[in-house]
Amino acid sequence: MVSKFTLNAGEFLVKLLADPAVDKRVQVREVVYARAGRKKLKADIVTYEGEEPRRFALYIHGGGFVSGFKETRTFLCGEFAKHGFLVFNIDYLLAPRADMRAIFGNIGEALRYMEVLSEVYRIPREFCVAGDSAGGHIASLLCGVMADPKAKAYFGIPDGMKLVS
């Protein structure tokens, strides 16, 4: 007989690390940054109470391009926020429904939303990008795209946001 309730160690860690309540000063506000047809693309704005954000970090979750979601990286994004980052932790379209062109379109939408946030939070329109697994791959590709004006235009990456090292 198979138990209907199982929680393995990996699932437990994901639930624990996804809980911003681990540190009560981590503040997470979910927003809809774009729409893809009927699907709402959501992101978390992660800040730290008492720490004025001085710069942006765009965080892109992993999952082999076919799975994953932003909530599994909330704890990590909170750590960035403790050091003065406003972290824009995004969900994006996944394969096989989306190809890389669509995914990079999501990245462009996220950066356009971050332009608006720069005015609200009075942060320079400069950002660093980070991710893990597939998100790390997307982040590294984004660095290449940011260096090429034709690629930026092709993927709809706004000129207003600048990548910093």
Side-chain angles (χ1 to χ4, degrees):
M1 181 169 153
V2 176
S3 170
K4 290 185 180 182
F5 177 78
T6 60
L7 182 65
N8 67 33
E11 289 171 328
F12 173 76
L13 284 174
V14 165
K15 289 183 185 305
L16 174 69
L17 295 178
D19 183 3
V22 170
D23 184 334
K24 300 285 188 208
R25 294 175 57 187
V26 172
Q27 299 174 337
V28 180
R29 183 169 61 110
E30 186 176 71
V31 296
V32 174
Y33 73 91
R35 293 183 187 275
R38 299 178 121 186
K39 182 168 177 54
K40 295 177 183 177
L41 296 174
K42 296 179 181 179
D44 289 335
I45 299 170
V46 184
T47 57
Y48 196 71
E49 182 183 320
E51 182 71 39
E52 284 294 318
R54 297 179 304 277
R55 55 196 163 199
F56 281 111
L58 173 63
Y59 197 86
I60 308 167
H61 69 76
F65 302 104
V66 297
S67 66
F69 45 94
K70 64 183 174 50
E71 287 82 5
T72 59
R73 307 321 191 260
T74 303
F75 178 82
L76 177 60
C77 292
E79 293 300 309
F80 280 102
K82 288 179 186 180
H83 297 282
F85 286 94
L86 181 151
V87 185
F88 202 57
N89 179 24
I90 66 168
D91 274 336
Y92 53 92
L93 295 175
L94 301 172
R97 291 184 177 164
D99 59 14
M100 287 305 287
R101 171 93 167 95
I103 292 169
F104 263 90
N106 299 158
I107 302 300
E109 292 287 347
L111 291 172
R112 281 189 283 287
Y113 198 96
M114 288 167 60
E115 282 186 308
V116 173
L117 290 176
S118 73
E119 294 176 19
V120 172
Y121 286 90
R122 297 186 188 118
I123 303 172
R125 292 181 178 187
E126 301 172 339
F127 72 100
C128 66
V129 61
D132 60 282
S133 189
H137 184 75
I138 295 167
S140 67
L141 291 173
L142 178 59
C143 292
V145 167
M146 294 295 291
D148 182 351
K150 288 182 183 178
K152 282 177 68 174
Y154 179 80
F155 289 113
I157 305 296
D159 285 328
M161 294 298 290
K162 305 293 181 205
L163 188 63
V164 296
S165 54

